[in-house]
Amino acid sequence: NLKSYNLESSRDNRFEVDFFEFDLGSKEYLSQAGRIMPYNIKGVIGVPKGEGPFPLILITHGSHSNDDESKRFDTGFDYLVKSLAANGFITVSMDMSKPYIWKYGDNDDNEKLLPVADDHITSLKSAHAGNNPGYPLNLQGKINLDQVALIGHSRGGKTIIDIANDQVSKGIKIKSLLAIAPTFYFEREWPDAEIAILVPEYDGD
C-alpha cells in the first residue's frame, strides 16, 4: 500500500557555479583499535555565485576500494556537486577513502569517518567566519550553518547517521539526510532530522 511518486530533478540551474578541487593539508587519527590513519582534508566543492548565505550539503561516498590509497572516489560525485550548487546549495564531496582502507583497520569506518567529516565542517565554519584554511575561493558569509544536509552512498549511507549524531552533539544543526543504497542499519540511534532512504533493487548494494 505504499504510494509511488515520480520525481524530477530541477533543471532551473538558477546560479552560475564556482567548482574546485581542494586540499587543506594532512592530519592523523589514532583509532580506538590503536591504528594510526593518515588522511588529507580534501574533496571537491561547488559554490553558487551569489551573496548567500546558502545551505550546505556534504556528500560521503562508499567503500569502492579497500586496498588502493591512490584512487579518488569523491570526484565521482562531481556532477551532483555541480548540479546542487547550480540550484542554490554549497556542496562538498568529501574524500573519505582512508577510513575504508583495510590496513588502517576494518569494519570501524563508522568511527574513523567522524574526525574526517568533523575536520571538513570545522574548516567550512572557519572559512565562513573569514578565516580561510585554504579553499580556492572566498567563503566568508556564504554558508548557512543552520541548514546542513548529508548525503551518503553505500557504507557512507550508513555512516552519515553517525556523522549527524556526532555533529548534533557539537551544536551543528543537521536538517536532513539522504542515504543512497545504505549498508546495514539494524538498531541505530536516529538523529532528529528529516531522513530519506533510497533502496535499490538490482545494483547489488
Side-chain angles (χ1 to χ4, degrees), residues 79-101:
Y79 72 96
L80 185 56
V81 170
K82 293 174 183 177
S83 178
L84 290 170
N87 284 281
F89 300 90
I90 292 179
T91 308
V92 176
S93 179
M94 304 177 290
D95 177 19
M96 292 291 197
S97 55
K98 290 300 179 76
Y100 299 127
I101 297 296

Side-chain angles (χ1 to χ4, degrees), residues 25-184:
S26 60
K27 297 194 73 172
E28 288 185 344
Y29 173 71
L30 177 62
S31 73
Q32 294 178 16
R35 301 283 185 92
I36 296 176
M37 177 188 73
Y39 63 94
N40 281 54
I41 310 169
K42 64 181 180 180
V44 294
I45 183 170
V47 180
K49 290 185 177 180
E51 290 187 11
F54 299 102
L56 173 65
I57 298 176
L58 300 169
I59 301 174
T60 302
H61 61 80
S63 57
H64 304 281
S65 177
N66 300 104
D67 53 8
D68 188 346
E69 298 183 58
S70 68
K71 292 183 178 179
R72 292 280 299 274
F73 298 103
D74 54 306
T75 56
F77 287 110
D78 285 2
Y79 72 96
L80 185 56
V81 170
K82 293 174 183 177
S83 178
L84 290 170
N87 284 281
F89 300 90
I90 292 179
T91 308
V92 176
S93 179
M94 304 177 290
D95 177 19
M96 292 291 197
S97 55
K98 290 300 179 76
Y100 299 127
I101 297 296
W102 282 326
K103 72 179 183 180
Y104 302 127
D106 191 23
N107 291 324
D108 60 354
D109 45 274
N110 59 321
E111 172 200 343
K112 294 182 297 183
L113 282 163
L114 298 185
V116 182
D118 188 61
D119 283 334
H120 277 278
I121 292 173
T122 300
S123 298
L124 289 162
K125 286 172 60 180
S126 179
H128 171 71
N131 303 308
N132 191 342
Y135 294 102
L137 72 167
N138 183 9
L139 293 173
Q140 184 172 3
K142 297 275 283 188
I143 307 171
N144 185 347
L145 292 167
D146 291 327
Q147 295 284 335
V148 180
L150 304 175
I151 297 175
H153 171 244
S154 192
R155 285 170 83 171
K158 177 183 74 171
T159 53
I160 59 171
I161 302 295
D162 301 299
I163 292 170
N165 286 327
D166 182 57
Q167 289 302 313
V168 168
S169 72
K170 296 174 179 176
I172 296 295
K173 296 179 180 178
I174 304 295
K175 301 292 288 186
S176 58
L177 297 92
L178 173 60
I180 304 167
T183 50
F184 311 113

